[in-house]
Amino acid sequence: LNVNTDNTIINARTALSAMSQGHLILNSNLYTDSDNAITARGNAVVRINEDGAHTTQLNGDINFNYDGDTSGTDVDADLVINLNGENSYWNGNSKVTWSANAGNESNITDETLKVTGLNLQLNNGAQWNPVAIDEEGTVGTDASGTKYTAMNNLTLNNGVVDLKNLDNQQLKIEKIDGNNGTVNVYSLKKNQVSIESKDTDTQLNING
């Protein structure tokens, strides 16, 4: 599905969805107001404003979902979300949710719920405002649940990560690159960031 419009506005429980190797390419000024801005699984491909020519405003989480009643595929998918310009933002965070058939709880494993393809770009004043994810359920034991999952790749080129709404949950970033990115921190106890690796030339500013 290719969406090429001037403006796209979506108010729904789930704004955008791509599953089971589906492809969703959206080049448009985009506004979402939803519980889940994007739901994906099964090696689907999602591209939001990849050319950087539009304003992207996402309200809602990015949800990698497992559903035993339907496809039963792993949750991983290939997502690239490009937020460009001071009017672009994302209010939300990344999570994994699962639901298994009764008696098949053991089918839910850490490997089934592993996410490797989440890529977020913040350019030219665009801002990510992460929120805490309410975790529930135990993998392999409970038939349904929710858990927080890390940002796999974050590119900050004059982009901003603001932790004002992240309360008592560590923001996990596996890899970061870019230059002149900024992280705004409001509390030493409540606002914590973990970065596993970064490019050698990456510059990051921390404001407290």
Side-chain angles (χ1 to χ4, degrees), residues 171-189:
L171 185 68
K172 297 178 181 180
I173 301 169
E174 293 181 352
K175 183 178 180 181
I176 193 169
D177 60 20
N179 281 298
N180 296 319
T182 298
V183 177
N184 293 329
V185 179
Y186 298 85
S187 168
L188 291 176
K189 293 183 178 181

Side-chain angles (χ1 to χ4, degrees), residues 1 3 5 7-17 24 26 28-38 48 57-60:
L1 175 64
V3 179
T5 64
N7 300 290
T8 302
I9 299 172
I10 305 174
N11 298 293
R13 184 174 181 181
T14 294
L16 302 168
S17 180
L24 172 60
L26 193 148
S28 166
N29 293 325
L30 173 64
Y31 174 86
T32 71
D33 188 2
S34 54
D35 294 335
N36 297 311
I38 302 171
I48 304 298
Q57 298 176 335
L58 302 177
N59 296 287

Side-chain angles (χ1 to χ4, degrees), residues 26-76:
L26 193 148
N27 291 296
S28 166
N29 293 325
L30 173 64
Y31 174 86
T32 71
D33 188 2
S34 54
D35 294 335
N36 297 311
I38 302 171
T39 295
R41 65 170 175 250
N43 295 313
V45 174
V46 178
R47 297 288 184 270
I48 304 298
N49 190 30
E50 192 169 25
D51 60 6
H54 302 88
T55 298
T56 304
Q57 298 176 335
L58 302 177
N59 296 287
D61 295 328
I62 295 176
N63 181 10
F64 293 87
N65 170 258
Y66 175 90
D67 191 344
D69 287 335
T70 55
S71 62
T73 57
D74 293 353
V75 302
D76 204 12

Side-chain angles (χ1 to χ4, degrees), residues 5-138:
T5 64
D6 290 332
N7 300 290
T8 302
I9 299 172
I10 305 174
N11 298 293
R13 184 174 181 181
T14 294
L16 302 168
S17 180
M19 302 180 181
S20 299
Q21 301 182 28
H23 285 220
L24 172 60
I25 314 298
L26 193 148
N27 291 296
S28 166
N29 293 325
L30 173 64
Y31 174 86
T32 71
D33 188 2
S34 54
D35 294 335
N36 297 311
I38 302 171
T39 295
R41 65 170 175 250
N43 295 313
V45 174
V46 178
R47 297 288 184 270
I48 304 298
N49 190 30
E50 192 169 25
D51 60 6
H54 302 88
T55 298
T56 304
Q57 298 176 335
L58 302 177
N59 296 287
D61 295 328
I62 295 176
N63 181 10
F64 293 87
N65 170 258
Y66 175 90
D67 191 344
D69 287 335
T70 55
S71 62
T73 57
D74 293 353
V75 302
D76 204 12
D78 180 5
L79 273 62
V80 175
I81 300 105
N82 184 7
L83 306 185
N84 188 36
E86 293 181 354
N87 292 323
S88 293
Y89 61 80
W90 173 30
N91 296 322
N93 214 332
S94 48
K95 65 186 180 184
V96 168
T97 60
W98 72 90
S99 177
N101 294 321
N104 292 330
E105 293 85 356
S106 61
N107 290 342
I108 309 298
T109 66
D110 289 331
E111 190 65 27
T112 301
L113 304 182
K114 185 177 181 180
V115 176
T116 65
L118 178 55
N119 304 277
L120 176 65
Q121 302 171 11
L122 302 175
N123 302 307
N124 303 314
Q127 186 160 309
W128 174 24
N129 306 304
V131 300
I133 297 297
D134 293 329
E135 296 186 300
E136 58 182 3
T138 301

